[in-house]
Structures are given as structure tokens and as C-alpha cells.
Amino acid sequence: DAKTTQPPSMDCAEGRAANLPCNHSTISGNEYVYWYRQIHSQGPQYIIHGLKNNETNEMASLIITEDRKSSTLILPHATLRDTAVYYCIVRRGRGGGADGLTFGKGTHLIIQP
Amino acid sequence: DAGVIQSPRHEVTEMGQEVTLRCKPISGHNSLFWYRQTMMRGLELLIYFNNNVPIDDSGMPEDRFSAKMPNASFSTLKIQPSEPRDSAVYFCASSSRDLNEQFFGPGTRLTVL
């Protein structure tokens, strides 16, 4: 699986959009971009995933650049409960059961009141 | 659904003792994953099963670690003998190929003195 690079930490004001970047310059054509987050002392939680197109669900939006070398996770209206470590993961398998997840160090997002 | 269930939630033991961690996946899921999280190494995949069969155990640190899945609703991760460097939070996750995500349990915090 391709390696990802994320900033170690970011701050965002409550109510504003949080934009979390991820670089994955060695991504292959058949690899997906997944985002998970881990709230303190809890297990990781799936947020969203995509291949080429931008994706949106009830939690977030995922913007993937045309060359697929980077992506941005957007939390449109951040709340204090969004404070967590966010992991960007690139993997070949599609579907939760396809294979294991390779976690990097992630971005510690802190939402400020 | 109760989600992925792990027991015990906390375990404190002495070096050299046998430790058994337990996991009950979400009903209907046919993939089960064991992860370990430490400050130094982050989240690492240890082993995963599909349809109760171990598929990839390359993340298992050494022979002291073993994992079994005797049926679709139960898995164990055993450490014998335990060492202080095994202290970590151990997460179990379950999924299936037709789902997008892996569902993580609350974790077992293991402390080996």
C-alpha cells in the first residue's frame, strides 16, 4: 500500500470547516483513499473513502485531486466532539473485510471553542 | 447491535504470565482483525481472519503471540509468556467484504509489570 503523509497536528475553531490534507504521491490506480478517526481512548471509526471522485456523506467530504496524489478531508462545521486523531489510509482492497488497515501517525485535530 | 465486544477491558499482569484477550465480532461479519496500539509504534495490524481462517499473521511480533478463531462469533489473542514490552491497547475489529468499513471494539488495555 502507498505511503501517506499528514501534518502532525492542526487547530480549528468550533463551527468552522476543518480541512485535513493528506499526501499520497505514490498511490496506484487501483488504490483507494480511506479516512478513519480515533477519539481519545476509543477504537478507530470509519469516516469516508474514495477512488477518484469526490465523495460526501453525513460526516464529511473527501476531495481527491485529479492526479490522485493528494486528498483533503473536510468536516464542514467542526464541533468539540470532532477533536480526534485523523488517519488517511491508502489501500488496495475495497470493502472493510478485504484486508487489514495500515495506520500512519495521523493528524491530531483540536477544535477550539 | 452491541458492536464488537472485547474482554477484559483492562488487564494487569506480571511478566511471565499468560494473557488471553477475547473478542466477539458483530454478528454476520466474516472478517476479524486484531490490532495493537502503543505510543512508540502507533496502530499496527497483528493478524486477520476471513471465515475463521487466518489470512495474514505477518504482524504477529513473535512466537509468544497466538490467535485463534474457533467459530464465527469468537476469537482469542494469547500472549505466553507476557513481557513488559507487550503493554499496549489491543483492538479487535470486524467487517465483511460488502461493507465499506471495519468496526472497532473498545479495546483491551494490557499492562505487564
Side-chain angles (χ1 to χ4, degrees):
Chain A
D1 294 336
K3 181 178 170 60
T4 61
T5 303
Q6 300 178 251
S9 65
M10 293 181 62
D11 287 351
C12 180
E14 188 178 18
R16 304 298 292 268
N19 296 276
L20 291 91
C22 179
N23 284 325
H24 31 78
S25 58
T26 60
I27 192 170
S28 300
N30 60 351
E31 288 183 315
Y32 291 78
V33 180
Y34 279 76
W35 285 82
Y36 278 74
R37 74 179 182 183
Q38 186 175 25
I39 296 171
H40 181 60
S41 297
Q42 297 182 19
Q45 174 192 26
Y46 166 85
I47 301 172
I48 200 168
H49 79 283
L51 181 63
K52 296 180 184 177
N53 300 321
N54 298 337
E55 303 287 344
T56 295
N57 63 20
E58 65 279 3
M59 288 183 69
S61 294
L62 174 60
I63 308 297
I64 303 175
T65 58
E66 194 168 340
D67 63 7
R68 303 209 322 124
K69 292 183 184 299
S70 65
S71 60
T72 301
L73 178 74
I74 301 172
L75 308 178
H77 305 287
T79 71
L80 298 178
R81 288 175 294 181
D82 292 322
T83 292
V85 178
Y86 288 76
Y87 297 98
C88 171
I89 299 167
V90 171
R91 60 196 286 254
R92 207 169 298 121
R94 186 167 74 93
D99 53 25
L101 301 171
T102 301
F103 291 87
K105 297 186 186 304
T107 295
H108 187 194
L109 175 67
I110 300 171
I111 306 301
Q112 304 283 0
Chain B
D1 198 326
V4 176
I5 298 173
Q6 292 188 245
S7 64
R9 294 293 309 279
H10 301 273
E11 176 81 25
V12 180
T13 190
E14 293 189 345
M15 183 174 64
Q17 296 298 306
E18 177 179 297
V19 174
T20 299
L21 311 182
R22 296 171 175 80
C23 176
K24 177 178 168 56
I26 294 172
S27 177
H29 289 186
N30 63 349
S31 298
L32 184 139
F33 305 81
W34 283 101
Y35 294 86
R36 177 173 70 173
Q37 186 171 31
T38 62
M39 288 292 292
M40 291 294 293
R41 300 177 65 90
L43 266 162
E44 305 172 280
L45 175 70
L46 299 178
I47 185 172
Y48 78 95
F49 297 82
N50 278 344
N51 297 316
N52 312 337
V53 175
I55 302 300
D56 182 0
D57 65 353
S58 59
M60 295 286 264
E62 49 197 275
D63 292 346
R64 297 185 296 106
F65 286 68
S66 63
K68 294 182 179 179
M69 192 164 185
N71 57 62
S73 59
F74 183 65
S75 177
T76 60
L77 178 68
K78 185 177 293 187
I79 308 172
Q80 165 65 17
S82 58
E83 297 183 3
R85 59 190 167 126
D86 302 330
S87 297
V89 180
Y90 291 81
F91 290 102
C92 176
S94 73
S95 188
S96 59
R97 278 188 179 269
D98 59 338
L99 297 174
N100 290 322
E101 60 187 287
Q102 294 182 12
F103 295 82
F104 283 76
T108 295
R109 181 174 295 277
L110 173 65
T111 303
V112 183
L113 302 174

